[in-house]
Amino acid sequence: MSYTPTGYAPYDFANRRHIGPSPREMAEMLETVGAESLDAFIDAIVPADIRQTRPLAWGKALSERGVLERLRNVAMKNTANASFIGQGYHGTFTPPAIQRNIFENPAWYTAYTPYQPEISQGRLEALLNYQTMMCDLTGLDIANASLLDEGTAAAEAMALCERASRSKARAFFVDHHCHPQTIAVVATRAEPLGWDVIIGDPFTDLDPSRVFGALFQYPGTYGHVQDFTAPIAALKDAGALAVVAADPLALTLLKPPGEMGADIAIGSSQRFGVPLGYGGPHAAYMAVRANLARSMPGRIVGVSIDARGNRAYRLSLQTREQHIRREKATSNVCTAQALLAVMASMYGVFHGPDGLRAIAERIHRKLVRLVKGLETLGFPIQPASFFDTVTVECGPRRDAILASALREGINLRPIGETRIGITFDETVRRSHTEAIWRAFGGGMADDDLTPEYRLPDALLRTSVFMTHPVFHMNRAEAEMTRYMRRLADRDLALDRAMIPLGSCTMKLNATAEMMALSWPEFANLHPYAPADQAQGYAEMLSDLEAKLCQITGYDAFSMQPNSGAQGEYAGLLTIRRYHEARGNGHRNVCLIPTSAHGTNPASAQMAGMKVVVVGVAADGNIDVADFRAKAEAHAENLAACMITYPSTHGVFETTVREICSLTHDNGGQVYIDGANMNAMVGLARPGDIGGDVSHLNLHKTFAIPHGGGGPGMGPIGVKAHLVPHLPGNPAAGAFAISAAPFGSASILLISWAYCLLMGGEGLTQATKTAILSANYIARRLASAYPILYSSAAGHVAHECILDTRVLKERAGVTVDDIAKRLVDCGFHAPTMSWPVAGTLMVEPTESEPKAELDRFIAAMLGIAAEAEAIVAGTLDAEDNPLKRAPHTVEDLVGDWDRPYSREAACFPAGSFRADKYWPPVNRIDNVHGDRNLVCTCPPLESYAEAAE
């Protein structure tokens, strides 16, 4: 029998699933760019002197089935004991409707930060719900749309106090009942800025005249529930500000911080349905009084109007942010935890205020029953009044009790030498209570369900909260599911279309990479669980570190930074600590090119460094002569330089080794920003070309989804001499960047699975394809839009800058007009006006098939043709599809008096017809939104007005 089998490999994940263009499509693209082969093309683009000589290799790439089996085997090495450790982390039950429709839904997790609000109305509404919920619970006026974790939120609050207080003091007070990891993060933030941190009892040790602010924990880490009204009043009399770190669930029963006089409240919303995940990701919150709104860090969702006067949501007060103010920004925060904030907000909608209060009461009643049993066994309990946490004095029996609890599958919190902390949450069952009693030597049954409360009478909440109709909607799952679906349908995410944002790397987030996040062995682990219960996580972390070291040429990684900006900050502090250890603490100058990401100068400022700006030459590359002059001029105090490679202009600069050498020769360390690592993996290693430290945006290069504005991860790789100076264990009081030792540990599973699925060869092929796709777009669009920067041979790296200013000069069409017209075509706009004002930076990534690239090209050429029609006079200069974009269904079906057709308005080149994306609002008025700042859900009357 003669039979010729197929050569097709269906389980080749890299080439069949992740990389978009097929071999035939790649051949067509190579022909367009004038290259004989992909390898020859890459050889012509990446400088030979930086090419790595050894290929990435860690064994055969796994299939999707294979990687799920590997993940399952690793998961089984974790032991998800019932956790009563507390310390700011709680067991929670994620409603299955939220797990399936938000957490596991690519319509939510593949979206980008809502900088284009017209295509982000769904998640903006969900985040506005979050802000409203946090304002109501804390009793304050305005909240942001989330921060990274409670520890970093406390550090941001400290910085806000220093900026906004009237006090000239240089110290910050921290309640000794704050969580230990929070204290560590706050102390780390304060040190390079020259602020003293005073830790003590706020009722006996606080001298308001010595501090610019104070942080109180409510309830305290050991369970104390205290009224801070008096110390807050004393702070205000001295011109200082007060911060309360508050558990939002406790605030359903207890007096809110705003009613104590607090200026700022921060905390974690993790227990609102977000899994523990061995430390994250979780959404922190910050709420402030109205007078602090313009100084508050993080993103703020506000209410504005669109071109028809209809209500619309947008990000407000962006001039506070790092991408605009650079080293003068309120912080270096460039992301948040949007996906987790959405989950928490939906948890609030799902349960409503009555449900949240009932959950809080149930937790408290169960803990009271536990305490009564422990008291009958003779154990002293503190405090007398509490919410969900108590501390038990055990004397010399403490370690035996802890060991007995472990045998029962229970994790308790050791405190000092003789005490045990116990924190209850909504997952506690009567069997858990009985197991804890057994660990303490009792054999009682938890069968006396008589309700009893030990809340402090003077601190019971009397004010209403969460009164907006969204928190009182019909809670049948059918209605809840439809609400989540309606919001998702308003948005444009990667599950609908390519998102060609330059410097953002919106690549495929494969389903197989995501699945393990929901598995209880990974999801239900407390970040401070005993290490022997997290052997699966340890194996994953070790293997991922080894792979990242091989990819980058560095010797070790810290996984603690839970965003790219946090990675920058961690890397610069590591450099600072290195210089100090060598007796060179005076080195504090950081050279940063004008083209750098806005987070770079903001991070340098936070690390106590003085930013010296280096010029950029006409070709977009770093001005080497200027760099040399400034490095030599500051040689005595040079701490570091921060560069991005390939450059932020999308080009492989040939002088990168020279820049690194100049820095080293003048005593500095080289920080290579890993934002553009998607153009380097498998081709060049930052550690080989002179880098001492880099952060990697795992939410870019290594497939963690952006989540609509977070989560992300920014681990830092370092050379061997910097390893002793990396972040340590926050709970042990070490130098700490984030509240958990491994940051948002659970999403590291995504990057690990990505590396396993792709293999070294697949990762390298992905890099080559990303570079090819960018050059293909640049070549196809160059006739209509000049490519602003390229190599001497006319090539770009993995992204390109389209000079759209030619349309402004010829036809009065702005970059904003182009971005909004792309919405009509069914696309998220490329990065606008960065790094060059009035331009678009396009990064297609390796995941987009040629058909999608061609659709985008058709859309951009169509826009250029419409601009030419304006020049020719066939389209009106003011009333045309570009100026009126985006167009909604209301435009399509309403009265039509425009000098162009409905067809031209709604179905431009590149758009779909049957599957067209319709934006829910017209162009949004940004000025109106900032001048009329509304950052909570509009009142019920406004809904009625909108309906009319």
Side-chain angles (χ1 to χ4, degrees), residues 578-625:
Y578 166 76
H579 285 311
E580 288 176 341
R582 289 163 54 87
N584 292 323
H586 61 279
R587 290 191 173 274
N588 66 346
V589 170
C590 186
L591 302 181
I592 301 180
T594 56
S595 59
H597 288 86
T599 51
N600 288 180
S603 297
Q605 183 274 329
M606 285 170 51
M609 294 186 181
K610 175 184 176 183
V611 175
V612 173
V613 177
V614 177
V616 174
D619 61 2
N621 295 335
I622 295 173
D623 185 330
V624 177

Side-chain angles (χ1 to χ4, degrees), residues 19 28 38 108 137 173 180 213 262 347 363 475-476 494 519 537 597 665 674 683 699 711 821 833 837 857 887 891:
I19 294 173
E28 295 171 359
L38 184 57
W108 288 94
L137 289 171
F173 184 88
Y347 185 91
I363 292 169
R475 297 191 188 100
L494 270 179
W519 297 352
Y537 266 113
H597 288 86
D665 291 346
L683 303 180
H699 49 286
R821 187 58 168 152
S833 291
I857 290 165
H887 298 84
D891 293 322

Side-chain angles (χ1 to χ4, degrees), residues 711-839:
M713 278 292 280
I716 55 170
V718 297
K719 285 296 197 178
H721 62 283
L722 294 178
V723 172
H725 310 290
L726 286 170
N729 185 346
F735 157 49
I737 298 301
S738 306
F742 304 105
S744 298
S746 66
I747 58 174
L748 293 172
L749 291 162
I750 301 169
S751 296
W752 187 51
Y754 174 65
C755 290
L756 293 173
L757 285 164
M758 297 292 286
E761 185 178 341
L763 289 175
T764 305
Q765 182 72 358
T767 304
K768 295 176 180 179
T769 306
I771 294 172
L772 172 62
S773 294
N775 280 273
Y776 176 72
I777 284 179
R779 186 65 59 91
R780 290 283 312 275
L781 291 179
S783 61
Y785 305 93
I787 306 304
L788 199 56
Y789 298 111
S790 61
S791 69
H795 298 134
V796 297
H798 66 309
E799 59 192 5
C800 60
I801 300 177
L802 305 180
D803 193 350
T804 55
R805 295 172 295 186
V806 294
L807 272 61
K808 175 73 180 297
E809 295 164 1
R810 288 177 50 77
V813 174
T814 68
V815 68
D816 210 45
D817 296 332
I818 298 170
K820 305 311 177 187
R821 187 58 168 152
L822 280 169
V823 174
D824 288 331
C825 303
F827 283 107
H828 190 297
T831 300
M832 291 172 50
S833 291
W834 189 87
V836 180
T839 66

Side-chain angles (χ1 to χ4, degrees), residues 31 69 152 201 231 235 295 319 328 330 384 391 402 473 497 524 598 624 641 644 672 711 759 798 826 930:
E31 183 177 353
E69 290 174 354
T152 55
D201 184 332
L235 285 165
S295 299
T319 53
K328 295 182 174 62
T330 56
T391 303
L402 290 173
M473 62 189 292
N524 295 343
V624 177
C641 76
T644 302
I672 299 182
H798 66 309
D930 279 351

Side-chain angles (χ1 to χ4, degrees), residues 102-222:
I102 302 290
F103 189 53
E104 298 173 348
N105 185 347
W108 288 94
Y109 67 68
T110 69
Y112 188 64
T113 305
Y115 286 132
Q116 293 292 335
E118 292 85 358
I119 57 174
S120 310
Q121 291 296 294
R123 62 188 179 280
L124 285 168
E125 178 171 322
L127 292 170
L128 192 70
N129 293 344
Y130 180 80
Q131 293 177 181
T132 302
M133 178 170 69
M134 292 308 167
C135 287
D136 285 4
L137 289 171
T138 60
L140 290 165
D141 302 316
I142 186 169
N144 66 18
S146 76
L147 290 170
L148 296 171
D149 60 34
E150 182 168 334
T152 55
E156 294 288 355
M158 172 179 64
L160 172 55
C161 288
E162 198 278 336
R163 286 193 302 273
S165 74
R166 292 182 287 109
S167 172
K168 301 301 182 184
R170 300 288 291 172
F172 186 71
F173 184 88
V174 177
D175 181 357
H176 63 158
H177 283 171
C178 284
H179 299 308
Q181 70 273 17
T182 298
I183 296 174
V185 174
V186 167
T188 296
R189 179 70 66 90
E191 188 273 331
L193 298 173
W195 304 336
D196 293 327
V197 173
I198 302 169
I199 302 169
D201 184 332
F203 296 95
T204 60
D205 301 328
L206 172 60
D207 179 353
S209 67
R210 293 183 55 200
V211 298
F212 57 77
L215 171 66
F216 311 109
Q217 190 83 43
Y218 181 67
T221 194
Y222 308 120

Side-chain angles (χ1 to χ4, degrees), residues 363-438:
I363 292 169
H364 177 74
R365 289 197 302 266
K366 290 179 180 180
L367 183 57
V368 170
R369 297 206 303 269
L370 175 86
V371 166
K372 289 170 65 178
L374 293 176
E375 288 172 339
T376 64
L377 294 173
F379 290 94
I381 308 291
Q382 289 291 328
S385 297
F386 50 82
F387 166 55
D388 68 349
T389 298
V390 293
T391 303
V392 186
E393 176 57 57
C394 305
R397 298 173 55 191
R398 198 279 299 271
D399 290 347
I401 293 170
L402 290 173
S404 180
L406 286 174
R407 290 192 292 272
E408 295 279 356
I410 298 290
N411 288 342
L412 303 176
R413 179 185 176 188
I415 299 173
E417 298 297 324
T418 62
R419 293 180 296 158
I420 288 175
I422 303 175
T423 296
F424 270 28
D425 57 54
E426 67 170 317
T427 67
V428 174
R429 296 182 177 275
R430 289 157 68 181
S431 60
H432 294 133
T433 301
E434 293 167 354
I436 294 173
W437 281 335
R438 287 195 296 272

Side-chain angles (χ1 to χ4, degrees), residues 572 575 579 588-592 609 637-642 663 667-671:
L572 291 173
I575 289 172
H579 285 311
N588 66 346
V589 170
C590 186
L591 302 181
I592 301 180
M609 294 186 181
N637 296 310
L638 184 61
C641 76
M642 294 187 81
T663 304
Q669 296 285 288
V670 176
Y671 187 106

